[in-house]
Amino acid sequence: MDAHPFDHITSEELRRRGSLKWTGYPEMLGAWVAEMDFGTAPGVIEAAQETVASGMLGYAPPRLVRNLRESTAAWLAARFGWEVDDDAVRPVPTVLSALVAAILHFSPVHRPEAPVVFLTPAYPGFLDVPSRLGRRSLHVEMVAGDAGWEVDWAALEEALRGGALLILVNPHNPLGKVYAHAELERICDLVDATGSRVFADEVHAPLVYDGATHLPYASLGPTAAGHALTAVSASKAFNLPGLKCAQVVLSNDLDRLVWGAVGSIVEDGTANVGLAATAAAYDGGAAWLAGVVDYLDDSRRRLEGLVAEHLPAAHYVAPEGTYLAWLDVSRLMLGRNPARFFRHQAGVATVGGTDCGEAGRGYVRLNFATPRPVLEAIVHRMGAAVDGCDPNDSGDLDDYL
Ligand SMILES: Cc1ncc(COP(=O)(O)O)c(C=O)c1O
C-alpha cells in the first residue's frame, strides 16, 4: 500500500502539537486516552474559526442550538436510519454529563436509588460516577465466547432484578464489540421485564468497520425508545472532545417532560464553538470520516501481524468498531499491572485492563488511531520490553505488582 498522508505524521510532531495523549506521559509513545492523531475534518475547523472570528463568545444563541439539533437528527437518519425529531435532540457538554443526568434523573421511576449496572470491562471514566453520586454500581462481566464477547445473560438478569439503570456502551469500549440486533432485543426484553432503564452511550457509533452494523438501541421499537436515554457525539469520530458538545436524544414523552424541568442545568455547559463544529461535522464531514475509517480499518488488521510478530504470546482480535484494541497479555507474565510494565519498560502508555474493572485483569487497551509507523514503533517497543524481561528474575516484575 502507498504511503498515506497520515503515515508522515511523526511522534515528535504529535508531541509538539501537545494533545493530552502525547503530553500526559511525556517522553512515552501515547496509546492510551481515546484521542486520534489525525486532526479533524476541514469543515469542522472552519466552523470553529468562524464562530470565534464572528465574536460569538456569549451564551448560546438559539440559531446555533437549532442548527445542532437539525444536523444531529439528519446525521442519525442518514447514517443509522434512525428518524428522530429535531426537538428530541438536546445539546450537552459531554457524554459524561449526560450519564450524570441519567443517574440523577432517569433512573427507574419506582426505584430512584436503583443500582447502576455496567457490562465490564467498561470505559474507565464512567465506573466511579455512581459512587460519587451516592449510588451503588454492579459489574456484569462479559464472557469470551466462540463468536467473540458475549453478555452473561443470567448475571445481567440478576443485576437488573427489581429495576436498575443499565449502561449500554455500543460500540463497546474497550472490547470494540458492536452489539447484534438479536442481542439488543434480548437486552430490551430483560430491561422491560425488570422495569429497568438504559443509558445508551453510542459515542463510537460512527467508527464501525465493514462486517458490522451499528443499530441505535432506541431505534429498536417503542419499548426500547420508552426506557432508553441515548447519548451521541461527534467527539470520537471527528476528534473534538475538547469542544464540549455532545447530544442527548430523548425518545419518549415522559423523558422530554423531565428534561424540560432539569435539562437546562446540563445544557448550559455546552460551548458555542462545539455546537457549530459538531453541526459542521455532521453536515459535511462524512467524506473525511470515511477516509479515517479506511485508515483505521487497515491499522486494526495490520495490528494482527504486529502482535503476532512482536508479542506472540498475546491475544488480539480486531475490534468491530472503535479504534481501541483490547490485548490479552495475561500469558506474558508481566505481573499484576501490565500497563505499568509497558510504561516503565517500553516507554509506551496504554490503559491498564483493571482500570476498566476487575474483568480487565491481564489486559491492556491500546489506542491504534495513530500513524502506522508510530503504531509499528509502539508494538515493536512493547515486544522488545517483553523479550528483555526475565520472568525467572522476579525482581523486575515485583515493581509491577
Ligand atoms: C464510551 C465512551 N463514553 C464516553 C466517553 C467520554 O466522552 P465525553 O468526553 O463526551 O464525556 C468516552 C471517551 O473516550 C468513551 O469512550
Side-chain angles (χ1 to χ4, degrees):
M1 186 186 272
D2 293 340
H4 186 284
F6 292 160
D7 292 344
H8 301 298
I9 306 169
T10 62
S11 53
E12 291 76 26
E13 163 68 12
L14 290 165
R15 217 179 296 284
R16 240 187 338 268
R17 289 185 194 170
S19 67
L20 174 61
K21 189 169 68 158
W22 284 93
T23 58
Y25 292 98
E27 311 303 323
M28 295 193 195
L29 296 181
W32 58 293
V33 67
E35 294 177 340
M36 295 201 285
D37 294 334
F38 314 132
T40 189
V44 169
I45 294 173
E46 280 162 29
Q49 285 172 338
E50 205 179 290
T51 310
V52 176
S54 63
M56 217 173 291
L57 307 179
Y59 295 107
R63 182 178 63 79
L64 275 190
V65 175
R66 203 167 47 242
N67 288 351
L68 184 272
R69 289 166 142 189
E70 288 170 7
S71 300
T72 305
W75 168 263
L76 294 174
R79 189 128 186 138
F80 309 114
W82 186 22
E83 305 278 350
V84 302
D85 290 346
D86 301 353
D87 286 355
V89 177
R90 310 299 316 200
V92 290
T94 58
V95 175
L96 182 64
S97 62
L99 172 69
V100 171
I103 293 174
L104 293 179
H105 306 296
F106 297 89
S107 289
V109 175
H110 69 281
R111 199 181 183 194
E113 298 301 313
V116 180
V117 176
F118 292 100
L119 296 167
T120 59
Y123 166 57
F126 281 177
L127 283 176
D128 66 348
V129 176
S131 64
R132 291 209 228 170
L133 297 174
R135 292 279 286 277
R136 197 159 62 91
S137 60
L138 299 171
H139 291 193
V140 173
E141 297 194 2
M142 300 289 285
V143 287
D146 294 339
W149 291 97
E150 291 170 9
V151 175
D152 179 339
W153 296 106
L156 179 60
E157 185 169 7
E158 182 56 33
L160 297 182
R161 195 183 301 280
L165 175 66
L166 172 64
I167 311 304
L168 180 63
V169 177
N170 183 30
H172 189 290
N173 169 4
L175 298 180
K177 172 186 174 71
V178 176
Y179 286 85
H181 191 179
E183 291 174 303
L184 295 175
E185 289 283 7
R186 196 163 168 185
I187 289 171
C188 180
D189 289 347
L190 276 182
V191 169
D192 186 43
T194 54
S196 296
R197 296 219 49 178
V198 167
F199 175 70
D201 170 351
E202 305 190 350
V203 67
H204 291 278
L207 297 164
V208 167
Y209 306 104
D210 274 354
T213 304
H214 173 75
L215 190 64
Y217 179 77
S219 74
L220 285 181
T223 306
H227 63 221
L229 185 80
T230 303
V232 297
S233 177
S235 64
K236 293 296 139 190
F238 293 92
N239 202 41
L240 30 89
L243 295 188
K244 302 303 168 200
C245 177
Q247 304 86 50
V248 159
V249 184
L250 303 164
S251 48
N252 62 73
D253 290 342
L254 185 58
D255 285 356
R256 289 193 203 196
L257 267 179
V258 175
W259 191 269
V262 300
S264 66
I265 299 171
V266 194
E267 284 191 30
D268 282 354
T270 314
N272 288 358
V273 174
L275 289 165
T278 299
Y282 287 154
D283 290 347
W288 178 88
L289 178 61
V292 168
V293 171
D294 268 359
Y295 191 85
L296 294 171
D297 192 10
D298 178 75
S299 296
R300 79 182 170 129
R301 297 278 174 221
R302 203 171 278 238
L303 194 50
E304 289 171 343
L306 288 170
V307 169
E309 184 182 347
H310 299 289
L311 294 163
H315 183 60
Y316 160 70
V317 178
E320 297 170 309
T322 80
Y323 46 75
L324 306 167
W326 187 237
L327 282 183
D328 178 355
V329 293
S330 57
R331 288 196 298 150
L332 273 54
M333 315 297 283
L334 303 177
R336 287 170 60 82
N337 193 338
R340 189 154 177 264
F341 171 87
F342 286 124
R343 278 199 304 278
H344 288 228
Q345 299 299 318
V348 172
T350 59
V351 170
T354 49
D355 291 350
C356 305
E358 197 46 40
R361 189 166 294 287
Y363 288 81
V364 293
R365 193 192 78 176
L366 186 148
N367 176 342
F368 59 84
T370 200
R372 288 187 285 236
V374 178
L375 183 61
E376 281 161 21
I378 285 171
V379 185
H380 187 275
R381 276 206 204 176
M382 290 167 79
V386 171
D387 291 346
C389 122
D390 177 1
N392 296 316
D393 169 12
S394 64
D396 272 7
L397 292 176
D398 281 350
D399 291 346
Y400 305 104
L401 291 177

